[in-house]
Amino acid sequence: EENGHENKRLKRDADEEDVEDQNKKSPKRKIVLLMAYSGKGYHGMQRNVGSSQFKTIEDDLVSALVQSGCIPENHGEDMKKMSFQRCARTDKGVSAAGQIVSLKVRLIDDILEKINNHLPSHIRILGLKRVTGGFNSKNKCDARTYSYMLPTFAFAHKDHDVQEEVYRLDKETLEKVNKLLACYKGTHNFHNFTSQKGPRDPSAKRYIMEMYCGEPFVRENIEFAVIKVKGQSFMMHQIRKMIGLVIAIVKGYAAESIIERSWGEEKVDVPKAPGLGLVLERVHFEKYNRRFGNDGLHEPLEWTEEEEKIAVFKEQYIYPTIINTEREEKSMVSWLNTLSIHDFSSSVVGMQANNKNSK
């Protein structure tokens, strides 16, 4: 009898050791994943638990994490359990080449390969790094860089009859575009560049580090250019409205002074450029890297080794989607036709003043 008890105890101990061994092999660790995706057909990055008709990038990601065995199924239902945090909430249709998410996972063997096996080809995990236990990708991020790819005929003056495939951006127009984009640099009140924020809301103040338009290039007979913008953080639709307003000025619909005016308290009608060309290029963790990047335990959150994979993904999935969708759906052409219905000259304050004067 004693021997029987002993055997049972030994078996139980052995079972517990097996479980412990398994856990030791794949313990839960805080990591970041470097993600790239084409956002067409998705309602943005962030998951909306409970509204399954709007598919998001995170729906596909969480499903792949569960299927690959990185997280238990119940963590997929309640993302707080795995301390999940995305660095940027990309809007509907917006793509990313360097999105970062932080979460706790089981570090299984061949983890990237296994997650990617359960993802569609237009969503890829390109890199993984271990981070500190308290790391939060949204709070620790000190800047974000976006790009916006657009056909250059968007900058053609409204009084010129433009053949889209023939149009080529001249040097003077590009210089004018860059002069206007540079006006956004520094800290300004961007309440007119998003919805649901009043002029006195402190969170409407945002800091822009750089903004410029690169040299144009031709793809599928259409000339495109890429605008880059780096800022501390951005509000919903902010970048698309910043670009929309510059296009309206260059096309001759609005005066240059409207940019300065838009930072004041009055409500200004700012048009929002289409979402198609917007791409989250990279996110910056400069403070974190200075503090933990070389402490011997953690790697800096830099992705030089992954640069080539990022470039290949953009060429394969992001740029062709933007170019083909533009050719087929003509989202920029349709949007440009709406610019004439915006009222760039008047404002609520201006109209009130005019009324007083006429009285």
Side-chain angles (χ1 to χ4, degrees):
E1 216 176 279
E2 270 177 10
N3 281 349
H5 274 299
E6 187 71 15
N7 286 344
K8 268 186 189 168
R9 195 162 59 81
L10 287 171
K11 189 176 180 303
R12 196 177 66 228
D13 287 353
D15 286 349
E16 279 172 11
E17 269 172 33
D18 277 356
V19 172
E20 256 176 57
D21 279 353
Q22 271 179 318
N23 286 345
K24 268 181 199 157
K25 269 185 200 162
S26 55
K28 271 200 177 165
R29 293 286 180 260
K30 188 62 145 318
I31 58 154
V32 294
L33 297 175
L34 171 69
M35 279 185 88
Y37 51 83
S38 170
K40 191 187 178 187
Y42 287 89
H43 278 256
M45 170 74 182
Q46 190 170 359
R47 198 164 182 220
N48 306 307
V49 180
S51 67
S52 53
Q53 78 266 35
F54 297 125
K55 197 178 180 200
T56 69
I57 299 289
E58 279 173 21
D59 288 327
D60 281 358
L61 173 63
V62 168
S63 153
L65 290 170
V66 171
Q67 286 175 290
S68 61
C70 295
I71 59 166
E73 206 160 318
N74 65 340
H75 286 204
E77 286 142 34
D78 180 2
M79 292 164 82
K80 283 197 196 87
K81 285 186 172 155
M82 55 172 165
S83 311
F84 186 92
Q85 188 56 261
R86 81 227 30 102
C87 193
R89 260 191 329 210
T90 51
D91 294 340
K92 179 185 173 184
V94 175
S95 299
Q99 169 75 283
I100 297 283
V101 298
S102 54
L103 67 159
K104 277 186 177 159
V105 295
R106 293 192 195 110
L107 281 178
I108 56 174
D109 295 334
D110 306 318
I111 182 167
L112 291 192
E113 197 185 325
K114 284 176 182 160
I115 299 171
N116 281 327
N117 284 345
H118 294 286
L119 283 169
S121 57
H122 55 265
I123 303 178
R124 291 288 94 180
I125 306 297
L126 301 178
L128 176 153
K129 288 184 194 285
R130 288 273 307 273
V131 284
T132 55
F135 184 86
N136 172 317
S137 60
K138 189 179 165 200
N139 300 347
K140 291 280 184 275
C141 173
D142 29 39
R144 295 154 177 86
T145 297
Y146 281 84
S147 69
Y148 188 85
M149 184 173 169
L150 76 172
T152 57
F153 62 71
F155 296 125
H157 197 277
K158 65 179 169 63
D159 298 337
H160 297 173
D161 188 26
V162 169
Q163 299 293 297
E164 286 137 32
E165 301 212 345
V166 180
Y167 182 83
R168 297 295 179 259
L169 188 66
D170 59 66
K171 200 163 170 274
E172 290 72 35
T173 310
L174 180 59
E175 278 170 11
K176 184 177 184 182
V177 168
N178 274 319
K179 191 181 123 214
L180 292 166
L181 292 173
C183 296
Y184 287 122
K185 289 204 290 199
T187 302
H188 304 286
N189 186 337
F190 285 100
H191 72 97
N192 274 309
F193 294 80
T194 188
S195 50
Q196 294 146 357
K197 279 206 198 292
R200 301 203 176 155
D201 186 333
S203 69
K205 280 212 167 92
R206 300 288 158 135
Y207 173 51
I208 306 297
M209 296 153 187
E210 62 176 2
M211 193 165 188
Y212 63 91
C213 180
E215 288 295 322
F217 52 92
V218 176
R219 292 282 172 96
E220 315 256 334
N221 295 334
I222 297 178
E223 188 181 65
F224 286 87
V226 174
I227 293 171
K228 285 260 175 89
V229 55
K230 181 180 180 183
Q232 217 165 25
S233 59
F234 298 95
M235 297 176 289
M236 190 177 176
H237 301 152
Q238 183 186 337
I239 297 170
R240 287 163 61 189
K241 286 195 168 224
M242 288 162 80
I243 291 166
L245 194 56
V246 165
I247 291 173
I249 296 167
V250 176
K251 288 192 84 66
Y253 286 106
E256 286 190 26
S257 57
I258 194 169
I259 295 185
E260 291 280 338
R261 222 176 78 216
S262 69
W263 297 324
E265 294 214 348
E266 63 180 286
K267 192 95 188 85
V268 173
D269 187 0
V270 178
K272 178 177 74 193
L276 174 68
L278 192 59
V279 179
L280 173 64
E281 285 286 334
R282 56 179 303 175
V283 287
H284 308 265
F285 296 95
E286 282 136 23
K287 278 197 203 103
Y288 174 86
N289 287 347
R290 278 199 298 273
R291 182 156 177 215
F292 297 106
N294 300 304
D295 65 357
L297 297 169
H298 305 96
E299 302 168 86
L301 294 184
E302 282 157 2
W303 306 95
T304 24
E305 285 169 33
E306 287 76 14
E307 289 293 345
E308 194 156 322
K309 282 194 264 178
I310 293 171
V312 168
F313 185 88
K314 285 201 283 196
E315 288 296 336
Q316 230 174 343
Y317 294 99
I318 295 178
Y319 294 155
T321 301
I322 293 172
I323 294 160
N324 296 336
T325 307
E326 188 53 60
R327 287 181 70 88
E328 289 159 25
E329 298 174 15
K330 301 207 173 296
S331 58
M332 183 54 80
V333 179
S334 318
W335 176 77
L336 291 171
N337 290 334
T338 68
L339 282 177
S340 57
I341 59 175
H342 284 269
D343 189 353
F344 296 106
S345 53
S346 72
S347 63
V348 179
V349 180
M351 278 155 65
Q352 284 168 348
N354 288 345
N355 287 347
K356 269 184 195 166
N357 293 343
S358 60
K359 275 177 192 169

